[in-house]
Amino acid sequence: MPLSLPLTAFEQYMLLDGTADHPMDFFFRLRFHGSLELDLDTLQEALDAAVRRHPLLAARIDSHRTTGPRFTISAGGPIRLQTAPPLSDPDAFPAFAAIDPARGPLLRFVIVGTVTAATDPDTTNRFDMIAQFHHAACDGLGAVAFLNDFLKLLAARLTALDPQLDPLNPLQLRGRGRYGLKLWSFVTSLHRQARGLEGVWKFLTNKPVRLESVGAAATAAGSAESLAANTRCPTACSFTLDSQTTAALRQAARHNGVSVNELLTAALFSTLRAMIPATAFDQHRSVIRLCMPMNARQASDRRTPAANIVSMIFLDRSPQQILDAPALLQSIHDEIQLIKRCGLKMTFIFTLWLARLLPGGIRSLVKNQQTAATALFTNLGSIFNCRQRAASQAMHIGRARLVSIEILPPIRAGTGLGVAVCEYTHALHCTLHSDPKVLSNKQTVVLCDLLRDCLLQRAGVVDTLPAPY
């Protein structure tokens, strides 16, 4: 395994896009009911074993004047498992310091609550596993791969059985920034990329509305400013659609000839339009813009440890386009199908490659990008499935049952909201992560409720749409 690797263009973008107030960190909170029946030393051993399989998480990022930033992968010094007592508000998050990529490691792992309580099956002991990742180290699917390995290793320590981990090859990290493109395939893709010029033009000329237009005066000055400058309590709100409602949502997508992801995207556009006052759209070409990560993994990446193998697309819609719900859904379907057919998810990566060649490099691109999007939306699909159990069955580790998953995307400056969804046990888990300087807790809850109601309407569970703000 190489002990030093240069950052890819996307990783460098993630490194430079973070600020002290808006670090490029994202979180997973796994909530368990029951008892693990494992001591902290055993938990630490499983964490060490999982990190060895995904070495970028244990790295730091060093600056080099000639070669640019590089991952320096530590051969020792495990990531220390941290613990915290239960919070008075079980839905709140503890305070987290931003990850310093220059010091590393690029992962922090905290257990909130008691994992070894002696409880009988009828008594609910609740604890959370919270993993904090720096986005320069890996994307959401890379984080899922790491967490899946960690949970399997824990289960194996209880049963003394083989954890049946998928084989990984750390040497494949060298090619993580090529996206499966050979020189000839890159050249032949350029004519298809020309279809993406319209999207680039929209990105440059449209004016994405900021969520702070909702009214940020009442944000939590007490909670954010009372902490250290680089320490934050993440502000999030989540909901779960049960398996029956999720199945109805899937049926509604099939009925409309679209994917569930496209249905979710349309619902988020409608929700944001309902929340943002009409006076916010006072400029010519004002739009609601969604930034959406897109998985760029190829079949050859199956053995690549956690890394960033992802690109991003941007969807813009005006208030008038959003009001016509059927036309909105069809337009999203058509645009995403065009992106897939022509490989336009690589347009953003090609832009970063080009920026690296220009004066100022990616740093100049980040500096000139004030409001990249109104909100970020990411869908990680179905996660934590296991060949040994049905997809509808929850994951168990000893007497501990994984009951819910919350994913908090990073919040960049100018983008006040990140929305993440995943499917687990055939149920849809959705989390809204907001910037406390932009949205208050109350406003985040209102947005969360509006989005849930919109999805229930799409699934045919309720008849009403969210009312305009």
Side-chain angles (χ1 to χ4, degrees):
M1 172 64 210
L3 297 181
S4 179
L5 286 170
L7 268 67
T8 67
F10 185 87
E11 291 162 350
Q12 189 177 2
Y13 176 81
M14 289 291 104
L15 176 67
L16 296 173
D17 202 28
T19 66
D21 284 341
H22 298 88
M24 276 295 118
D25 296 348
F26 64 94
F27 298 83
F28 276 69
R29 176 160 70 178
L30 310 182
R31 174 150 291 174
F32 289 84
H33 286 176
S35 174
L36 267 184
E37 303 170 342
L38 291 172
D39 57 36
L40 294 180
D41 289 340
T42 304
L43 288 167
Q44 181 67 60
E45 292 171 2
L47 181 63
D48 294 344
V51 170
R52 283 194 294 270
R53 287 173 52 82
H54 302 277
L56 289 186
L57 300 178
R60 68 176 188 271
I61 299 178
D62 293 327
S63 297
H64 292 264
R65 183 174 300 177
T66 56
T67 61
R70 301 180 69 89
F71 289 112
T72 298
I73 300 170
S74 174
I79 296 173
R80 299 308 306 173
L81 177 71
Q82 302 177 36
T83 59
L87 302 176
S88 57
D89 179 359
D91 292 327
F93 280 80
F96 283 88
I99 291 177
D100 182 356
R103 297 182 61 184
L106 303 177
L107 165 71
R108 183 176 290 126
F109 203 94
V110 181
I111 294 182
V112 179
T114 304
V115 300
T116 57
T119 60
D120 60 60
D122 297 326
T123 303
T124 299
N125 176 67
R126 179 164 62 184
F127 65 91
D128 297 334
M129 294 183 180
I130 304 179
Q132 177 186 10
F133 300 84
H134 195 288
H135 211 323
C138 71
D139 55 25
L141 288 177
V144 169
F146 161 77
L147 291 170
N148 197 37
D149 283 354
F150 174 66
L151 295 177
K152 287 182 177 180
L153 286 162
L154 280 183
R157 278 159 170 73
L158 279 169
T159 61
L161 297 176
D162 184 347
Q164 298 188 358
L165 303 177
D166 294 331
L168 296 178
N169 181 4
L171 293 178
Q172 290 195 206
L173 288 170
R174 292 172 172 170
R176 70 198 183 286
R178 300 193 192 106
Y179 299 91
L181 288 175
K182 306 289 186 182
L183 177 60
W184 178 245
S185 61
F186 170 71
V187 172
T188 56
S189 72
L190 292 179
H191 76 283
R192 295 194 303 272
Q193 290 297 316
R195 298 291 302 271
L197 295 179
E198 180 183 357
V200 173
W201 174 253
K202 289 180 180 179
F203 183 88
L204 295 174
T205 58
N206 287 346
K207 309 296 182 184
V209 173
R210 287 193 180 198
L211 269 171
E212 65 188 8
S213 302
V214 172
T219 53
S223 62
E225 295 177 6
S226 62
L227 300 171
N230 68 336
T231 303
R232 298 287 185 274
C233 294
T235 303
C237 183
S238 62
F239 64 86
T240 299
L241 301 183
D242 61 27
S243 58
Q244 291 84 358
T245 305
T246 302
L249 202 64
R250 191 177 294 109
Q251 177 59 35
R254 283 195 294 266
H255 176 75
N256 286 278
V258 300
S259 68
V260 172
N261 190 59
E262 291 159 357
L263 198 66
L264 294 170
T265 304
L268 182 55
F269 269 121
S270 297
T271 300
L272 292 171
R273 174 64 187 88
M275 186 72 175
I276 299 174
T279 54
F281 300 92
D282 56 357
Q283 296 190 53
H284 178 58
R285 302 185 70 91
S286 289
V287 296
I288 292 176
R289 172 174 294 167
L290 293 184
C291 170
M292 299 172 59
M294 289 195 76
N295 181 27
R297 286 165 173 77
Q298 312 292 318
S300 57
D301 293 311
R302 289 174 182 166
R303 296 193 174 191
T304 303
N308 280 292
I309 311 178
V310 65
S311 185
M312 293 194 293
I313 64 171
F314 299 87
L315 301 186
D316 290 358
R317 293 297 182 272
S318 69
Q320 294 75 23
Q321 291 173 318
I322 294 172
L323 287 176
D324 187 342
L328 170 66
L329 181 58
Q330 187 62 46
S331 71
I332 291 171
H333 172 75
D334 292 343
E335 186 169 358
I336 290 182
Q337 293 309 305
L338 175 66
I339 289 168
K340 291 180 178 179
R341 187 167 61 250
C342 296
L344 301 184
K345 65 183 177 184
M346 292 302 297
T347 300
F348 182 74
I349 298 299
F350 293 160
T351 301
L352 295 179
W353 288 355
L354 178 61
R356 268 186 160 180
L357 303 176
L358 298 177
I362 293 177
R363 185 180 299 275
S364 179
L365 178 68
V366 170
K367 182 179 179 180
N368 295 327
Q369 183 177 272
Q370 297 302 317
T371 301
T374 309
L376 180 145
F377 172 58
T378 182
N379 183 356
L380 297 185
S382 182
I383 64 175
F384 297 150
N385 294 322
C386 179
R387 290 186 293 270
Q388 280 70 45
R389 69 175 193 278
S392 59
Q393 294 178 337
M395 173 180 283
H396 282 76
I397 303 173
R399 292 187 178 182
R401 176 171 57 94
L402 177 59
V403 297
S404 67
I405 301 166
E406 293 168 275
I407 305 167
L408 282 62
I411 298 293
R412 79 176 303 276
T415 301
L417 180 71
V419 180
V421 300
C422 67
E423 189 174 318
Y424 168 67
T425 64
H426 291 324
L428 192 74
H429 298 255
C430 179
T431 305
L432 280 68
H433 181 203
S434 62
D435 185 343
K437 295 185 176 181
V438 175
L439 294 171
S440 67
N441 285 336
K442 182 178 179 181
Q443 289 169 324
T444 305
V445 171
V446 169
L447 262 172
C448 192
D449 289 344
L450 286 173
L451 180 57
R452 182 195 59 212
D453 291 346
C454 191
L455 292 175
L456 292 176
Q457 190 275 336
R458 298 292 196 273
V461 176
V462 299
D463 296 327
T464 58
L465 283 168
Y469 178 73

